[in-house]
Amino acid sequence: MNNKNSSVTLRDVAAATGVDVSTISRVLQNKGRVSEETRTRILETAERLGYHGNPVARALKTAKSSTVLMVVPQIENPIFASAIIGAEIEARSRGFALLVSYDKGDGREIISDISRSSIIEGVIIASFDDDNRLRQVLNSTDLPHVVLNRHLPGDENCVAIDTRRAARMGVEHLIAMGHRRIGHLAGRLGRFNGDMRRRGWEEAMAAAGLDHGDHLIAQAGYSPDAVPAAVDKLLAIGVTAIHAATLLTAAATIARLHERDVRVPEEVSVITMHDDLLARVVYPQVTTVALPSQEMGRVAARRLIDLIQGVEPNGTQPAGSLLLPPDELIIRASVAAL
């Protein structure tokens, strides 16, 4: 029974769980220390019975909104879409609401405007800005924060994915398939992920004794609009495969190759990282290294709420900047052997 039922009380939840009312109240308000098993049992029972406390009344009583803000620079990017899902699931399991905002370059104003209204208690922020600009944004608020999808030197509250390793895995697969002239369609170089992915490509090529000069790199950033010119540059120097830094630009790469009447993968293979619906609906379907982007969102939300509630990191959530390992290589139809 998942429908809202205003007649269900805390005593009903307590009777169904065998836990006293005060413990039920603490769990539903995210206060105090309760074992994870008890917390889960209480939350599941409350959901099953249809108990939903009055969040407005609770906010007025506690002067807290139990709401966190997530700021992302690109809603259409599958990595951020998955991270939002993971963060929302984790936040909801802890009794928090997740508010999402699209940063078009005014992250400081977004955070400042919302924090002044006392709506939010903490911020998860992903940004394409350089390190100094991102620090300025974070310094504009005294709210607890977690930096998502990148490492910010000197900041211990960062959760990202090891995309350097993911890039190397993808390029190593191309090499194993016989490719020797592999171009890298780069993200935004000079930024954390753009540089990480370029280094992964470079390391795999160097380890195999293959040419990895700058002439084999074409920068498209994170915009599909920049892909055609970048792909044309790589085609002009005779690559047999393209390693795209993002799933979005990989899909745009395949589209451009179709426009140029270049057969994929018979003439040029394409590989990328992150697995999402987009990887399965383009033709041919894209070979990729899966990334734990949804888990990244969950971990970021968990860490932020722990900061808000003053919970110390445990063995499953170590302190300090966290780099999640990539998942497995998923072989589809966009790569052929030479």
Side-chain angles (χ1 to χ4, degrees):
M1 183 169 82
N2 293 318
N3 294 328
K4 183 173 180 178
N5 187 345
S6 60
S7 65
V8 177
T9 68
L10 287 178
R11 294 186 182 278
D12 295 323
V13 179
T17 57
V19 179
D20 62 87
V21 172
S22 62
T23 300
I24 300 290
S25 179
R26 287 201 306 275
V27 168
L28 295 179
Q29 295 184 56
N30 293 293
K31 292 182 177 180
R33 294 183 180 274
V34 180
S35 72
E36 194 58 37
E37 185 274 333
T38 300
R39 179 184 298 277
T40 300
R41 181 153 53 93
I42 289 171
L43 292 175
E44 289 178 349
T45 302
E47 179 67 19
R48 176 173 56 81
L49 294 177
Y51 174 81
H52 297 278
N54 186 333
V56 174
R58 184 168 66 249
L60 290 172
K61 182 177 179 180
T62 64
K64 294 182 178 179
S65 66
S66 295
T67 301
V68 293
L69 173 67
M70 187 169 183
V71 181
V72 297
Q74 199 176 36
I75 292 288
E76 67 274 19
N77 188 318
I79 283 186
F80 294 129
S82 295
I84 289 169
I85 292 171
E88 196 277 332
I89 290 172
E90 180 65 25
R92 181 156 37 89
S93 76
R94 300 281 294 272
F96 276 70
L98 181 74
L99 178 66
V100 178
S101 182
Y102 170 41
D103 174 16
K104 296 174 288 187
D106 52 358
R108 178 167 16 181
E109 294 179 17
I110 291 170
I111 295 171
S112 177
D113 288 347
I114 296 177
S115 61
R116 275 202 305 270
S117 66
S118 301
I119 293 175
I120 59 171
E121 296 187 55
V123 179
I124 300 169
I125 184 165
S127 174
F128 291 154
D129 289 334
D130 62 32
D131 290 349
N132 289 334
R133 169 64 180 167
L134 179 54
R135 286 193 186 93
Q136 290 174 5
V137 172
L138 294 173
N139 289 338
S140 70
T141 176
D142 57 1
L143 290 170
H145 73 267
V146 171
V147 176
L148 183 78
N149 199 44
R150 68 186 285 177
H151 171 66
L152 183 64
D155 193 318
E156 292 191 346
N157 295 313
C158 303
V159 180
I161 298 171
D162 190 349
T163 53
R164 177 178 179 177
R165 181 173 164 189
R168 182 161 184 163
M169 287 169 62
V171 177
E172 285 174 345
H173 176 65
L174 291 173
I175 294 169
M177 296 293 282
H179 293 274
R180 296 295 178 265
R181 195 161 180 80
I182 302 168
H184 177 57
L185 187 67
R188 190 174 296 181
L189 298 177
R191 301 290 192 273
F192 175 77
N193 276 299
D195 288 348
M196 287 271 283
R197 297 171 197 200
R198 179 193 59 78
R199 284 198 293 268
W201 166 83
E202 186 177 63
E203 288 172 357
M205 298 291 279
L210 301 176
D211 183 7
H212 54 280
D214 289 346
H215 60 287
L216 287 166
I217 299 174
Q219 186 173 184
Y222 303 109
S223 171
D225 294 337
V227 168
V231 169
D232 290 350
K233 173 188 173 182
L234 296 176
L235 290 177
I237 58 174
V239 300
T240 65
I242 295 174
H243 174 261
T246 73
L247 175 55
L248 198 60
T249 56
T253 294
I254 291 174
R256 180 58 175 172
L257 292 172
H258 289 330
E259 290 175 351
R260 292 283 305 269
D261 292 323
V262 176
R263 293 175 299 159
V264 182
E266 292 84 358
E267 295 178 86
V268 174
S269 291
V270 178
I271 198 167
T272 188
M273 63 184 70
H274 186 55
D275 187 37
D276 196 86
L277 177 63
L278 181 59
R280 303 187 295 276
V281 298
V282 299
Y283 179 80
Q285 294 184 337
V286 187
T287 296
T288 188
V289 176
L291 302 178
S293 53
Q294 189 169 130
E295 178 64 13
M296 176 175 65
R298 292 188 72 139
V299 171
R302 188 181 312 141
R303 177 166 289 190
L304 179 63
I305 294 170
D306 283 351
L307 287 171
I308 293 169
Q309 297 180 337
V311 176
E312 293 294 326
N314 55 38
T316 61
Q317 173 115 350
S321 188
L322 187 61
L323 206 59
L324 303 175
D327 293 328
E328 75 275 12
L329 173 73
I330 299 176
I331 297 175
R332 295 198 178 97
S334 66
V335 173
L338 290 185

